[in-house]
Amino acid sequence: MELATPTPAPPPQEADPDSTNYKVWASLQGRPLDLKFAENMSAWGELGGDVRLCLGAEGPDNASFTGMITGVTLLTKEEVEEQEQEQKKEEKGEKKEKEEGIRTTGNCSVLLARNILTHPLDVSWTTKGPVLTLEWELPLDPCLTPPKTVWLQGSRAYQGSLRLCRSLGGHFPTEEEATGDLLKAHNCSTGDVLTWASGWEESEDDPTALCPVLLAEGGMDKWACYSKLDCTLCLVPEGLTYTLFGARRDFDRHYTLRTLADGTFEFQGQDTSTISQGELGWRLSSSLHNDELIQGSWVMGRQRWHPSGSLQQPTTTLPYKATEKTINTSTDILTFTVCNAIQFSSDDGVCLLRSERCDGRTDSPDGSDEEHCGSRRAISKDTNYDTRVSPFLGRKQKGILLYEIHVMFINKMSTEKGMASVEMNLYLDWEDSRIEFVDTKMGRNSLACDDIWTPTLNVFAGYTRGPVVQPRSNRSDCYIYWDQKPREEQQLGDPLMSRSFTKMNITQYQNLVMEFPCLLRVSKYPFGKYMCNLTFGIFRDHQYIKWKSMRPLEEDYNDLKYYGDRDLLDFRLEKVTAQVHHDGKLTFTLHLVGQPDYHLTNSFLPSALMFVICYSSLFFPISGFNERIMVSLTSLLVLVALFSQATNTYVRTPYYKLIDVWYVGLIFLCFAVVIANVLVNYLRVLRVKSQNDLMKKVLAARKCNIACQIFLLTLFMSLIFVFVLFNYNNL
């Protein structure tokens, strides 16, 4: 449990040198507790200023504190030194009182006189983590009120008697307590032995183990733990509250212990009920009606109570071992316990921390803390609950479906197949007010997905519509997760002492492997930017649901995490996004960029070289027509062959792509070179009538050749410039 002041303060070891460190004393359920060695309770403050106190841990990875704190006292370094000196004097027999009659030994009076843990907690306290604040005043002064002495009848060994005493919230008397008046009025002895006692560490289950006893004439001794005493005395603190859990509403829920003149005891309800011991065992009765319940074993713990008259003689059976069926349907399984709000009672009445309930380890002697712990136990549904009906059905406003997508891996993509294969983790989060969550723990609480309504996904390729896609793999898990304590309600009608709450989001985790067509229009291939879309909808319920990101960057548009390689062969992944539509759909989009590097060396460069070879024929002597025409025609044929080979390696489309435009442009330029060679040769071989005309003819052929060189080179450079611009747009 953590409590801290609103203003963050440095840890004690980092405090200002002028600050004052304090020693912390606390009261647990009215009993003073010395926590000077507890690292998770600290206090510090400026001299003459406010004191900052932390009960628990500053960080989530440090140790925390578990307990019912009813009071806290801070002592300065000087006060601690004074107490240590007083304790040393008392050890030497020099007992001394501090000024104003305050004893420092137990610090009980100091605790109550200087209590800074107010009821209720005011705004000066800040809660962090699973803090349960119960605004209970101490019913009696724990410093002045002596405990009640309870007589446990029956012959029992040490461990059996100790278990019964602890189930009442009490303890065995110590040697110091035996010197007072607590035990004098009770005639409980087995020979020279008065009762089992507290005095040292409890012994393990060993036939030769010895346990402490109080002698009738005074003093302590050791007896075999397996020996049985005719009776045992148990000291129970004054003012403890006992609670009755179960489906019987015609009896009181809360009781107090009352001792009787003959040394026995009974429990008096807050209004009309009484639990007392008779010849047939323990009897639960009420002054308002004639119904009585009786059970023959020990009163504390989880027991089966029978109607009056069904038992003919007292029994000493062990606590009833309830099955899941009887726990859910029977009305005579009752749990009577002294356990407080942060505890859980085992079947035999042992109080355990709620965190030890269903934690995978057996903590109670009878092992009942690990019974009825499945995921089905974690939820309580309406009787007419239907897993096919959405919790948002019939609402005036659309229900919120939170989502988060982690894209784990995207397989290589080629334009020839046009398919995307994506592995993603999809987290869906929603609230179902028809479900109560029972006895949840900090962190992850797993649920059975088949027991609750979960969104049924409709998935199709494309933007808002397209062909239906079925996940190739789908692993699913449902759970609720919380790191702050929700507001819980105690279920007094449940003998398993459950606590439940309703307003908590359910999370469904799905690992999906989706293979779907991208439906790309690759007009700019191998350049350009593309979007490959996958749309999610909720079957039958999309009109009642509004998607919303768990970590929104914008209102309806959100970048997603991607953990894989971004080089996807023909494409490079730029980013992954999700877009929410107002018609209850969510579009998942892969933003792709064409990768022309491969085609630069395998398509563009060879084809450009063919054109350069073809173009170079224009620089041959104009008289060598055969050489010029053979080079240009050969280059044109090779270029056509390259174009035919390239079209078989990438996707075929009914429209032209940029790479097609490139080849067609080069083929046209090479064809223009052939025509230029023919035209130049035509001008050269024209018949002339004079020498002057011959000179003009040769000059015209040369000028035509030069003009073709400049014109075709300009066209080629323009073609290259256009494709460089497309490549620049990819960056």
Side-chain angles (χ1 to χ4, degrees):
M1 187 182 84
E2 296 185 16
L3 295 173
T5 53
T7 305
Q13 62 270 22
E14 299 179 5
D16 190 276
D18 296 331
S19 64
T20 302
N21 291 328
Y22 292 84
K23 179 179 177 182
V24 181
W25 296 83
S27 168
L28 304 184
Q29 296 179 252
R31 300 179 185 177
L33 177 66
D34 184 356
L35 295 179
K36 60 182 179 181
F37 299 111
E39 297 180 356
N40 52 5
M41 303 190 72
S42 54
W44 60 97
E46 299 293 337
L47 288 173
D50 295 334
V51 177
R52 296 171 180 174
L53 171 65
C54 177
L55 309 181
E58 285 287 336
D61 298 331
N62 299 327
S64 187
F65 179 77
T66 300
M68 296 285 289
I69 300 180
T70 55
V72 173
T73 294
L74 296 180
L75 300 178
T76 62
K77 182 179 180 181
E78 291 77 12
E79 291 173 322
V80 172
E81 291 177 352
E82 275 187 47
Q83 288 196 349
E84 290 177 350
Q85 292 176 2
E86 292 293 334
Q87 289 175 358
K88 289 180 180 179
K89 291 180 180 180
E90 290 182 358
E91 290 176 1
K92 297 178 181 179
E94 302 176 4
K95 297 184 178 180
K96 183 179 180 181
E97 298 283 332
K98 282 189 71 176
E99 296 181 0
E100 300 180 0
I102 299 177
R103 288 181 58 85
T104 61
T105 306
N107 291 282
C108 191
S109 298
V110 173
L111 182 67
L112 297 178
R114 304 175 55 184
N115 184 8
I116 66 171
L117 189 63
T118 57
H119 295 279
L121 297 180
D122 54 29
V123 294
S124 65
W125 290 86
T126 299
T127 61
K128 298 179 181 179
V131 177
L132 179 64
T133 57
L134 302 175
E135 298 173 3
W136 290 349
E137 296 288 351
L138 291 178
L140 296 170
D141 188 343
C143 298
L144 304 178
T145 305
K148 292 184 177 182
T149 303
V150 174
W151 184 11
L152 301 179
Q153 301 180 12
S155 179
R156 298 181 185 87
Y158 181 85
Q159 291 294 339
S161 299
L162 180 62
R163 190 174 304 174
L164 296 186
C165 183
R166 286 184 173 177
S167 67
L168 290 172
H171 64 280
F172 286 159
T174 62
E175 186 176 8
E176 292 78 9
E177 290 170 326
T179 60
D181 298 331
L182 289 175
L183 309 181
K184 290 182 179 180
H186 298 275
N187 184 18
C188 175
S189 62
T190 303
D192 296 333
V193 176
L194 176 63
T195 180
W196 294 112
S198 298
W200 54 78
E201 294 294 329
E202 299 169 15
S203 303
E204 301 291 337
D205 285 340
D206 184 353
T208 63
L210 299 177
C211 292
V213 293
L214 289 176
L215 301 178
E217 300 299 329
M220 293 188 65
D221 199 356
K222 299 179 181 179
W223 266 43
C225 296
Y226 277 95
S227 300
K228 293 186 178 181
L229 301 185
D230 293 338
C231 66
T232 304
L233 297 182
C234 177
L235 301 186
V236 179
E238 182 78 29
L240 290 182
T241 299
Y242 300 83
T243 307
L244 183 68
F245 292 87
R248 295 299 296 261
R249 300 182 179 180
D250 49 347
F251 296 101
D252 291 341
R253 291 296 186 184
H254 302 289
Y255 298 79
T256 56
L257 186 145
R258 183 174 63 178
T259 55
L260 303 178
D262 59 356
T264 60
F265 59 94
E266 67 178 14
F267 300 92
Q268 182 63 51
Q270 61 185 359
D271 293 320
T272 63
S273 301
T274 303
I275 300 178
S276 58
Q277 190 173 17
E279 295 181 358
L280 298 180
W282 289 91
R283 180 171 62 98
L284 173 60
S285 61
S286 174
S287 61
L288 292 181
H289 53 80
N290 296 325
D291 289 345
E292 290 185 349
L293 297 179
I294 298 177
Q295 64 91 16
S297 58
W298 179 238
V299 64
M300 306 304 295
R302 193 166 295 105
Q303 313 283 355
R304 179 187 289 279
W305 291 73
H306 303 269
S308 178
S310 61
L311 289 181
Q312 301 301 321
Q313 56 182 359
T315 61
T316 57
T317 58
L318 293 176
Y320 172 73
K321 293 294 183 181
T323 63
E324 184 174 354
K325 180 179 179 181
T326 57
I327 281 292
N328 293 334
T329 61
S330 179
T331 60
D332 56 2
I333 306 296
L334 303 178
T335 299
F336 191 62
T337 179
V338 72
C339 302
N340 59 44
I342 64 172
Q343 293 176 326
F344 170 82
S345 173
S346 64
D347 287 352
D348 55 6
V350 176
C351 291
L352 308 169
L353 291 174
R354 283 192 171 269
S355 59
E356 296 175 332
R357 162 83 169 142
C358 297
D359 62 353
R361 298 185 299 270
T362 301
D363 299 293
S364 63
D366 62 355
S368 59
D369 59 307
E370 297 302 317
E371 296 176 356
H372 321 295
C373 293
S375 61
R376 297 178 185 272
R377 166 71 184 166
I379 59 176
S380 176
K381 301 179 291 186
D382 295 341
T383 55
N384 56 350
Y385 185 90
D386 190 346
T387 57
R388 298 169 297 179
V389 178
S390 166
F392 312 120
L393 184 64
R395 289 188 177 182
K396 294 182 180 179
Q397 296 182 347
K398 290 186 176 181
I400 301 298
L401 182 63
L402 300 176
Y403 75 91
E404 185 169 358
I405 302 176
H406 294 177
V407 186
M408 309 307 295
F409 178 76
I410 301 176
N411 207 354
K412 301 298 183 182
M413 299 175 59
S414 66
T415 54
E416 183 178 4
K417 294 183 178 180
M419 299 290 292
S421 180
V422 180
E423 180 183 356
M424 66 177 70
N425 292 335
L426 175 62
Y427 298 86
L428 300 179
D429 201 279
W430 70 95
E431 182 181 307
D432 194 339
S433 59
R434 303 171 298 172
I435 297 177
E436 286 187 351
F437 302 98
V438 180
D439 290 338
T440 55
K441 298 180 180 296
M442 285 282 288
R444 183 185 178 115
N445 298 265
S446 296
L447 307 172
C449 293
D450 295 337
D451 290 343
I452 59 176
W453 175 87
T454 55
T456 302
L457 295 177
N458 277 345
V459 188
F460 45 90
Y463 188 80
T464 71
R465 63 183 61 189
V468 176
V469 177
Q470 294 293 337
R472 195 174 66 195
S473 175
N474 187 354
R475 300 190 301 274
S476 180
D477 183 26
C478 296
Y479 59 90
I480 58 173
Y481 184 91
W482 54 270
D483 53 2
Q484 297 292 331
K485 190 74 172 177
R487 185 176 182 86
E488 294 181 305
E489 295 181 359
Q490 186 78 54
Q491 301 298 314
L492 295 176
D494 184 7
L496 289 177
M497 302 173 60
S498 63
R499 282 158 56 179
S500 65
F501 62 94
T502 54
K503 292 188 176 181
M504 189 68 187
N505 281 9
I506 302 172
T507 301
Q508 182 184 26
Y509 157 77
Q510 299 182 73
N511 177 260
L512 303 172
V513 178
M514 314 289 292
E515 187 170 353
F516 57 96
C518 280
L519 306 177
L520 302 177
R521 184 174 179 85
V522 289
S523 301
K524 298 179 181 180
Y525 181 82
F527 305 98
K529 296 184 178 182
Y530 310 94
M531 291 189 296
C532 183
N533 299 306
L534 187 69
T535 300
F536 296 90
I538 305 299
F539 179 66
R540 291 198 308 255
D541 298 316
H542 65 274
Q543 67 270 28
Y544 307 117
I545 290 176
K546 179 181 179 181
W547 295 78
K548 188 175 181 180
S549 174
M550 293 184 186
R551 49 182 192 89
L553 300 179
E554 296 182 10
E555 181 65 25
D556 296 325
Y557 199 77
N558 191 20
D559 286 340
L560 305 179
K561 293 181 179 179
Y562 177 61
Y563 301 91
D565 186 8
R566 294 182 177 270
D567 184 2
L568 306 182
L569 194 62
D570 281 358
F571 302 97
R572 178 174 56 84
L573 183 67
E574 186 177 35
K575 60 181 178 179
V576 185
T577 62
Q579 182 180 3
V580 175
H581 303 282
H582 296 291
D583 60 350
K585 296 178 182 178
L586 174 72
T587 297
F588 166 85
T589 303
L590 303 178
H591 294 260
L592 307 172
V593 179
Q595 296 202 107
D597 298 351
Y598 169 81
H599 296 279
L600 288 176
T601 57
N602 289 272
S603 296
F604 290 102
L605 182 59
S607 57
L609 290 176
M610 287 299 99
F611 170 75
V612 171
I613 294 173
C614 182
Y615 176 76
S616 65
S617 65
L618 295 176
F619 294 90
F620 290 3
I622 59 175
S623 59
F625 173 71
N626 290 334
E627 291 81 2
R628 289 165 65 104
I629 197 67
M630 289 299 297
V631 170
S632 58
L633 284 176
T634 303
S635 299
L636 178 59
L637 292 176
V638 173
L639 190 59
V640 172
L642 288 176
F643 180 39
S644 177
Q645 180 182 359
T647 54
N648 293 325
T649 60
Y650 55 78
V651 61
R652 298 181 181 181
T653 59
Y655 50 86
Y656 281 105
K657 301 173 286 297
L658 275 178
I659 193 169
D660 298 331
V661 173
W662 170 265
Y663 275 106
V664 171
L666 291 183
I667 291 174
F668 170 78
L669 291 177
C670 283
F671 176 75
V673 171
V674 173
I675 298 301
N677 285 325
V678 172
L679 179 61
V680 169
N681 186 67
Y682 171 75
L683 294 176
R684 185 184 66 84
V685 298
L686 283 176
R687 292 183 180 184
V688 294
K689 296 180 179 180
S690 63
Q691 184 66 26
N692 189 30
D693 292 338
L694 177 62
M695 294 297 294
K696 291 180 179 180
K697 179 185 67 172
V698 174
L699 182 60
R702 289 178 176 175
K703 288 182 177 180
C704 179
N705 189 67
I706 294 173
C708 290
Q709 291 176 356
I710 296 174
F711 178 69
L712 292 176
L713 180 62
T714 302
L715 291 179
F716 179 64
M717 296 305 296
S718 299
L719 184 63
I720 292 178
F721 177 74
V722 170
F723 277 81
V724 169
L725 286 181
F726 277 107
N727 186 46
Y728 177 78
N729 290 334
N730 281 5
L731 303 178

